[in-house]
Amino acid sequence: MAVDELDTRILRLLLEQPRTSVREYARILGVARGTLQARLDRLERDGVITGTGPALSAAALGHPVLAFVHIEVTQGHLDDVGDELAAVPEIVEAFSITGGGDLLTRVVARDNAHLEDVIQKLISLPGVVRTRTEVALRERVPHRLLPLVESIGRAAARK
């Protein structure tokens, strides 16, 4: 999907001012409200905008421990294990990967003992061969997309 300069300006506003109204976005950008709404609808339909909910802090919800758990899966059981992972509330993300392991999960926990309990639950899932856990010490670069959006916008402006 081609993203043009106006799209990137819209995305930047959404990231910087997520609680602003569509009418106000249109005013800031100097475009008609209908134009802005059509762009937003297309960006959603094309999968560029994937959600509009609030960003939540697992730490503020009582789960300050963050770990990345690599999971090796018995051949042919990747989908089954993936389905089982979805039932573990402490797993906030899971990805199929290449390299050392088959799945990479982002896990949150109340403390180290709770993390161990979650890992033991993962190890006991049918199809899981082994796990390897790395505990995050400090977030150095928070999840962000604004620099990417700005880079795409600069490239679109040069065209």
Side-chain angles (χ1 to χ4, degrees), residues 118-129:
V118 173
I119 293 167
Q120 291 302 318
K121 185 185 304 184
L122 298 179
I123 291 170
S124 71
L125 294 175
V128 172
V129 176

Side-chain angles (χ1 to χ4, degrees), residues 25-71:
Y25 287 143
R27 187 194 66 73
I28 292 168
L29 294 168
V31 299
R33 185 188 177 288
T35 300
L36 179 64
Q37 189 61 60
R39 292 289 184 119
L40 289 171
D41 292 344
R42 182 178 51 81
L43 291 166
E44 284 184 34
R45 188 175 54 254
D46 291 347
V48 175
I49 298 173
T50 59
T52 58
L56 304 177
S57 165
L61 290 169
H63 289 68
V65 176
L66 171 63
F68 299 93
V69 180
H70 298 257
I71 302 173

Side-chain angles (χ1 to χ4, degrees), residues 79-102:
D79 289 338
D80 298 333
V81 172
D83 292 343
E84 292 292 327
L85 294 178
V88 180
E90 294 86 0
I91 294 180
V92 295
E93 289 183 299
F95 300 92
S96 299
I97 60 168
T98 62
D102 300 300

